[in-house]
Amino acid sequence: MALFKRRTVGKPGEWFYCLEHRTVEEGPQCRAADRLGPYGTREEARHAMETARERNEEWETDPKWHDDPDRGKSGGV
């Protein structure tokens, strides 16, 4: 166990979504690996999981992030 626990101090008005506790918190209260943010408002932080889902879906369907299925096939050039 560490003798000194380093506490991360956030700026007033920064909002985070804690993945472990599934709560919105002002300023980082939980460790960085367990939170999303910062967000500008409490409402944005409240919708963090929905925003992440939407962004993941956009990235998964973005053709720039998928390999060309014809690349690497032998063929006449």
Side-chain angles (χ1 to χ4, degrees), residues 67-74:
D67 290 335
D68 182 357
D70 293 329
R71 183 192 290 181
K73 288 185 179 178
S74 298

Side-chain angles (χ1 to χ4, degrees), residues 8-22:
T8 305
V9 178
K11 298 175 187 170
E14 283 187 332
W15 295 92
F16 296 84
Y17 182 81
C18 175
L19 298 167
E20 183 178 344
H21 301 110
R22 297 181 182 177

Side-chain angles (χ1 to χ4, degrees), residues 23-59:
T23 58
V24 172
E25 49 190 48
E26 186 173 13
Q29 296 174 20
C30 293
R31 65 189 197 117
D34 293 333
R35 68 177 188 255
L36 300 176
Y39 295 94
T41 66
R42 175 185 279 277
E43 191 65 17
E44 288 176 10
R46 192 169 74 82
H47 292 286
M49 293 303 295
E50 181 180 324
T51 302
R53 245 187 318 278
E54 289 170 359
R55 289 179 181 167
N56 285 343
E57 187 175 321
E58 287 175 19
W59 293 332

